[in-house]
Amino acid sequence: GNAWTKFTGIDGIYSDPNHPAGYRVVRSTGSKLSITLQDEPSGEVIEVAGKRKSGGYSIDFSSKGGPKNLGVVVKGDQLEFPDGNAWTKL
């Protein structure tokens, strides 16, 4: 049968408490991040990019109408944002 393994490092599928019906898929390649997100099941699928920086990552949410360089810190199985939101790895 198939054997699914949990993603390691920052790579993985995350839930966002601000969008409980949506998802976030984070992939890393070297120092770069690629994030695919959807806020609602029938919502637009959006791609955002990020990069590693000292103490965490910087994510460009401008394609979603957000900030261009939002800092995020990895703590355990969570990505923590400055506004107090935290995505949890599933």
Side-chain angles (χ1 to χ4, degrees):
N2 290 333
W4 295 92
T5 58
K6 190 170 185 175
F7 290 105
T8 59
I10 194 170
D11 293 28
I13 301 168
Y14 291 81
S15 65
D16 178 349
N18 291 336
H19 304 281
Y23 65 87
R24 281 81 176 97
V25 178
V26 178
R27 297 176 194 88
S28 63
T29 304
S31 64
K32 296 181 180 182
L33 292 180
S34 171
I35 303 170
T36 304
L37 53 91
Q38 186 177 33
D39 291 344
E40 301 295 330
S42 61
E44 179 182 5
V45 175
I46 300 171
E47 299 285 336
V48 299
K51 60 186 174 184
R52 190 178 340 223
K53 68 173 195 166
S54 178
Y57 292 86
S58 175
I59 301 175
D60 179 357
F61 282 102
S62 60
S63 64
K64 192 177 184 296
K68 186 172 177 71
N69 293 304
L70 185 65
V72 62
V73 176
V74 179
K75 288 194 178 173
D77 278 350
Q78 290 191 322
L79 301 181
E80 295 186 354
F81 293 87
D83 66 357
N85 190 21
W87 297 355
T88 302
K89 189 185 278 190
L90 302 175

